[in-house]
Amino acid sequence: MESIDVAAQLQAVERGEAAPYISYPPTPRWYAPVIGAWAAAFIGVFTWWRENTALFTSFLVLLIVLEGVFLRWMQQRHGALPMPGRGRPPAEIAVVWRGYFAGVLVVAALVGLVWWLAGLGFAAAAAFVLVTAGLAFYEAKYAVAAERVKARLR
């Protein structure tokens, strides 16, 4: 009769569940600044909101289409890797995701505050800086969390 090592089987299952979250290609260096530039452009488009509806709408649609194309590319590049908020990540990564969503709220509030106090141009600049720095920070924290998961499941 074979002996069943339940702990080893459970660890193998957990490794399989964690694989999409810890096995992914490195993020390109241009990723955070490009997303920051997109966020700044999205804010900047509001310059034309009341001045030129056609220009405002055209650029807004263009930015949304670009976002869709980018998200499709990211999902193809990363394969089964769920985007933040999807799936059940390992505990170490779930903490990073919660920080990501809290950070998004903080960045949105800060950009809104800058817009209100200093105007649209400053808000676009703040969006670029905050989104770029925030994503770079998130990517670094995610990489550390992924390494912790790998070490725990070895």
Side-chain angles (χ1 to χ4, degrees):
M1 176 162 222
E2 288 182 42
S3 75
I4 298 173
D5 186 357
V6 176
Q9 288 181 346
L10 287 174
Q11 189 172 30
V13 168
E14 191 173 1
R15 256 194 308 274
E17 289 176 339
Y21 300 92
I22 60 176
S23 302
Y24 55 91
T27 303
R29 297 187 139 208
W30 52 262
Y31 171 75
V34 165
I35 300 301
W38 182 92
F42 195 86
I43 302 293
V45 161
F46 282 86
T47 299
W48 298 308
W49 182 27
R50 293 189 177 142
E51 307 301 319
N52 189 331
T53 304
L55 201 55
F56 168 73
T57 305
S58 298
F59 273 92
L60 196 58
V61 167
L62 175 65
L63 287 169
I64 291 169
V65 167
L66 285 173
E67 179 182 16
V69 168
F70 177 76
L71 288 174
R72 175 178 278 168
W73 173 79
M74 283 291 285
Q75 286 190 320
Q76 288 174 345
R77 181 175 189 270
H78 285 266
L81 178 67
M83 300 302 254
R86 290 186 169 171
R88 281 188 20 198
E92 297 88 340
I93 291 173
V95 169
V96 175
W97 278 10
R98 285 192 295 275
Y100 172 83
F101 288 116
V104 166
L105 294 175
V106 169
V107 166
L110 288 172
V111 169
L113 183 63
V114 169
W115 191 340
W116 182 52
L117 294 175
L120 190 59
F122 286 103
F128 174 75
V129 170
L130 293 171
V131 169
T132 300
L135 280 175
F137 182 73
Y138 166 76
E139 289 291 327
K141 296 292 278 184
Y142 192 101
V144 168
E147 287 303 317
R148 286 186 182 142
V149 173
K150 289 176 188 176
R152 177 173 58 83
L153 295 177
R154 281 192 185 121

